[in-house]
Amino acid sequence: MNEQKVSITEPLSANRRVWNGTMRALLYIAAALICALLVFLIGYILYRGIPNLSWEFLSSEESVINDIEGILPAIINTLYVIVATLIFILPLGVGSAIYLTEYATNKKLVSVIEFATETLSGMPSIIFALVGMMVFCQALGLGTSLIAGAFSLVMMTLPTIIRTTQESLKTVPQSYREGSLALGSGKWHMIRTVVLPSSIDGIVTGCILAVGRIVGESAVLMFTAGMGMRMANFGGDTIAEFFDNFFGAAGSTLTVSLYVYAKERADFDHAFAVAVVLLVIALVINLAAKLAGKKTQEKLRAGNDKNDR
Amino acid sequence: MNEYVTTKGEKGAVKAGKEKIVPAAGQPAERIDSKRGVKDVMESVMRAVFVICGLVAVGFVLIISVYLIISGIPAIREVGLWNFISGTNWSPANRTEPSFGILPMILTSIYGTAGAIVIGVPIGFLMAVYLSKVANRKVAAVIREVVDLLAGIPSVVYGLVGMMVLVPAIRTTFNLPAGDTLLAAIVVLAIMILPSIISVSETALNAVPREYEEASLALGATELETYFRVSAPAAKSGIAAAVVLGVGRAIGEAMAILMVAGNVANMPSLLSSVKFLTTAIAGEMGYAGDLHRQALFSIGLVLFLFIMLINAALNLFLKHNKEGN
């Protein structure tokens, strides 16, 4: 009866039905698998780590005599590296992005710079570790020190800052620039007073992402900044001594101390406690980057709306 | 404006002399001209500064290349290029008869990466389809957050969890004396490349024009047929870029697999302890001396060449992508 009619409600052929069913099942299996993995990973880290986490662990230096374990030195070293890296990376990265978006007229030079940036961003950290060790620790005579680690991280995180800054510079409406130039300001003056202030949140996003990479990095710092777990001496009695100590300080950051706990001391309880700290930092950085990124997006959308009208 | 003039005025006045300014008749005109001179100097100084900043990235790449080549060549010359890359025996610490063959590590790196891609890409791709097309928006947003968090977790944390969960599990399942195997490394790598594969392929899938999908649906294809036979092929260069990105990540990872792979330079097999190019460097640099140390730099050079090849492939796909759009 139905055979001559072609109906749009006609059921799919058996083959297609099987294919559809299989694909749908695969989709849900993949999604379920990944969600289960995520929940397990985070749950397991928290489950193993939180019982070993205490204020004392976070706020004290390890001491064999008093039987105290603590990661305060690692926290301070991590902060030191973050600040030192940002001090160098900010002007370099922002300047580079400004050159690429505002000044560059030579197409060949731009493509060379962009190729270099992409190469840097695809380079594995172990290469930065090797080169950092050779260049900063040995050739420049900085020795194994946090500052050498920071310099190596500058090489590694430069592309991150350049890319995010470039993106946010592109969101600044062209009319702002034209308005400023038409009023007689020079290019640098225009960049300083108009372009940079309106792209500040992109730069902030870049910094946050860079901090994320710095906190998560271990190979580079293991090679260049050392694996010592004791508090480095940052101070000194005379000014010269202070400079020597402050810029020569070496030690492990959070990730490196996790590695030392897990691999060299087989002290997994404390390794997981450090993992919880790192997890929390990753979470905070993610949220911060999202917030800053949202602002840029809104601006971009607002800009587009204006253009559409 | 005023602020600019007052703060830079004094300093600039000196420099202004160097600039050839033809003063026009009358006071006011001259003042404007001298200001312009200050500004011009400032402009060209800042321009130079920005050019230098722009060239820093190029400088870094040059430094990396030059240093890797300079320090990687000596050991290769000593051992012989062919012996170095095709030798199957890596025993650099052997006092009487040291041997520097990195073939096991090259193969391990290739197998490990291939394994991670084989596991990670299909799952990641399916997840991307799910997030981009099937899941409702709120669920997708939550999952996306967590996947992003996964990307932000340091690699040593993955190594730690792998060490505590995966390695014992492999040991008991396969009844091995030790669970530190290539398999463990592959699973850890697959998990670590998931976030980038998911997000890059999802972006590619989202960029497929709606008209393609609507046309396919209107012709009677089911939704799933549309996603897999229309959307996915349309997004294929983006997905290819995701795969290449995953390859780059996997081949360059060091710390996580250093903790789970066992670090013995065997020829790779799934259930044996292996050493990757990266883990050889990370694990042995601490105690290596003389030729051994130089050989590690040579391994760095080999790894660098691998990465440059992968980067070139990635650029190709991305360029193709841009043209496609």
Side-chain angles (χ1 to χ4, degrees):
Chain A
M1 194 179 89
N2 276 345
E3 271 166 36
Q4 278 129 3
K5 271 191 195 164
V6 177
S7 146
I8 49 166
T9 54
E10 189 183 5
L12 299 171
S13 72
N15 258 346
R16 282 177 74 189
R17 226 178 316 152
V18 170
W19 189 89
N20 269 308
T22 323
M23 283 330 237
R24 187 169 292 275
L26 280 180
L27 270 187
Y28 285 113
I29 288 173
L33 206 66
I34 290 180
C35 293
L37 179 78
L38 294 173
V39 172
F40 170 76
L41 251 180
I42 293 167
Y44 186 76
I45 294 168
L46 294 179
Y47 166 74
R48 289 289 307 262
I50 285 184
N52 301 302
L53 205 57
S54 63
W55 179 244
E56 190 195 78
F57 184 63
L58 293 177
S59 67
S60 56
E61 183 184 3
E62 77 169 15
S63 153
V64 182
I65 302 169
N66 301 328
D67 197 20
I68 295 174
E69 289 287 348
I71 53 165
L72 184 65
I75 294 174
I76 290 176
N77 289 343
T78 309
L79 287 176
Y80 180 113
V81 171
I82 290 173
V83 172
T85 310
L86 284 184
I87 286 175
F88 291 102
I89 198 78
L90 258 182
L92 278 181
V94 173
S96 180
I98 288 178
Y99 174 73
L100 286 173
T101 40
E102 307 289 332
Y103 280 95
T105 43
N106 185 341
K107 273 217 170 122
K108 232 174 211 165
L109 189 58
V110 172
S111 68
V112 167
I113 293 175
E114 271 173 359
F115 173 76
T117 318
E118 269 157 30
T119 309
L120 279 182
S121 72
M123 199 72 74
S125 56
I126 193 79
I127 299 273
F128 289 109
L130 276 180
V131 174
M133 197 177 77
M134 284 188 285
V135 177
F136 300 116
C137 298
Q138 289 163 11
L140 294 184
L142 293 171
T144 302
S145 63
L146 290 167
I147 205 83
F151 281 136
S152 314
L153 289 172
V154 165
M155 290 212 262
M156 195 179 86
T157 45
L158 184 66
T160 314
I161 303 266
I162 293 182
R163 201 174 314 124
T164 45
T165 309
Q166 236 184 323
E167 266 161 31
S168 77
L169 286 176
K170 280 176 189 159
T171 65
V172 177
Q174 201 57 35
S175 55
Y176 286 18
R177 297 192 178 91
E178 282 158 6
S180 168
L181 290 176
L183 287 171
S185 84
K187 199 149 201 180
W188 160 238
H189 189 216
M190 181 262 294
I191 289 167
R192 193 168 55 90
T193 53
V194 176
V195 176
L196 278 183
S198 29
S199 61
I200 195 78
D201 37 57
I203 298 171
V204 171
T205 314
C207 287
I208 296 169
L209 293 177
V211 170
R213 283 199 72 182
I214 296 167
V215 171
E217 186 45 56
S218 41
V220 172
L221 293 164
M222 201 170 95
F223 276 40
T224 53
M227 297 168 77
M229 301 283 272
R230 299 299 306 276
M231 182 76 89
N233 181 10
F234 291 107
D237 293 332
T238 63
I239 291 180
E241 203 176 304
F242 168 77
F243 267 94
D244 268 5
N245 286 337
F246 192 78
F247 293 110
S252 62
T253 59
L254 281 168
T255 43
V256 177
S257 60
L258 189 158
Y259 178 79
V260 171
Y261 275 127
K263 199 71 183 167
E264 302 203 334
R265 301 189 181 172
D267 180 355
F268 298 113
D269 291 339
H270 287 111
F272 272 105
V274 181
V276 172
V277 176
L278 287 169
L279 192 67
V280 171
I281 295 176
L283 186 68
V284 170
I285 286 174
N286 256 16
L287 291 177
K290 283 260 148 67
L291 277 179
K294 219 172 235 169
K295 260 192 178 163
T296 316
Q297 287 299 316
E298 273 163 17
K299 225 175 241 178
L300 190 61
R301 215 169 295 137
N304 284 346
D305 287 352
K306 238 180 239 166
N307 288 349
D308 288 347
R309 258 179 253 150
Chain B
M1 277 293 249
N2 285 334
E3 192 188 306
Y4 171 64
V5 174
T6 48
T7 50
K8 303 288 176 193
E10 271 186 21
K11 206 170 154 194
V14 185
K15 284 179 188 168
K18 291 175 195 163
E19 288 282 299
K20 282 174 192 160
I21 299 160
V22 187
Q27 263 291 82
E30 190 184 10
R31 210 163 63 214
I32 289 169
D33 268 351
S34 79
K35 267 184 214 158
R36 187 159 296 151
V38 175
K39 254 163 69 180
D40 285 350
V41 172
M42 195 62 196
E43 289 293 326
S44 40
V45 166
M46 287 319 289
R47 192 190 160 82
V49 168
F50 287 128
V51 173
I52 292 168
C53 285
L55 288 175
V56 162
V58 183
F60 283 166
V61 171
L62 285 180
I63 289 176
I64 290 174
S65 319
V66 167
Y67 264 90
L68 278 178
I69 291 169
I70 288 179
S71 55
I73 294 287
I76 293 182
R77 193 176 280 163
E78 187 119 336
V79 180
L81 178 63
W82 184 245
N83 286 339
F84 188 66
I85 56 172
S86 73
T88 54
N89 186 11
W90 173 259
S91 45
N94 191 332
R95 291 240 175 265
T96 48
E97 245 179 273
S99 165
F100 301 91
I102 62 164
L103 188 65
M105 297 170 217
I106 295 180
L107 288 181
T108 302
S109 277
I110 293 174
Y111 286 13
T113 307
I117 293 293
V118 166
I119 299 177
V121 167
I123 299 181
F125 167 69
L126 287 170
M127 187 68 181
V129 173
Y130 176 77
L131 286 179
S132 163
K133 310 286 178 192
V134 182
N136 80 33
R137 286 179 89 181
K138 270 184 193 157
V139 175
V142 171
I143 295 180
R144 232 172 264 138
E145 293 294 311
V146 189
V147 170
D148 282 352
L149 178 64
L150 204 62
I153 297 178
S155 57
V156 280
V157 177
Y158 285 102
L160 178 64
V161 176
M163 231 171 134
M164 298 309 288
V165 180
L166 206 56
V167 169
I170 288 176
R171 191 183 59 221
T172 49
T173 320
F174 296 99
N175 215 356
L176 298 169
D180 311 61
T181 55
L182 178 59
L183 180 63
I186 286 179
V187 175
V188 169
L189 284 177
I191 294 171
M192 291 184 69
I193 62 173
L194 270 178
S196 49
I197 293 202
I198 293 174
S199 69
V200 176
S201 2
E202 201 203 337
T203 314
L205 284 168
N206 284 339
V208 174
R210 271 198 70 86
E211 290 81 3
Y212 290 17
E213 284 159 16
E214 281 161 4
S216 161
L217 289 172
L219 287 170
T222 63
E223 284 181 336
L224 283 170
E225 283 166 346
T226 305
Y227 301 148
F228 284 104
R229 301 211 163 139
V230 176
S231 313
K236 70 171 183 293
S237 62
I239 294 167
V243 175
V244 181
L245 199 67
V247 171
R249 280 277 155 77
I251 211 161
E253 179 50 47
M255 296 305 283
I257 49 179
L258 179 62
M259 295 166 89
V260 298
N263 307 317
V264 182
N266 292 321
M267 284 305 249
S269 86
L270 262 192
L271 295 178
S272 66
S273 170
V274 290
K275 183 174 268 178
F276 289 74
L277 287 170
T278 49
T279 56
I281 304 173
E284 294 175 17
M285 191 51 93
Y287 61 83
D290 296 343
L291 188 57
H292 182 190
R293 191 180 164 85
Q294 289 177 345
L296 293 181
F297 285 122
S298 309
I299 294 180
L301 181 61
V302 172
L303 185 66
F304 177 71
L305 296 177
F306 268 99
I307 292 290
M308 291 307 272
L309 273 179
I310 293 165
N311 273 356
L314 185 66
N315 279 342
L316 209 69
F317 283 123
L318 288 179
K319 205 179 258 175
H320 191 78
N321 223 4
K322 256 181 208 162
E323 280 161 14
N325 288 342

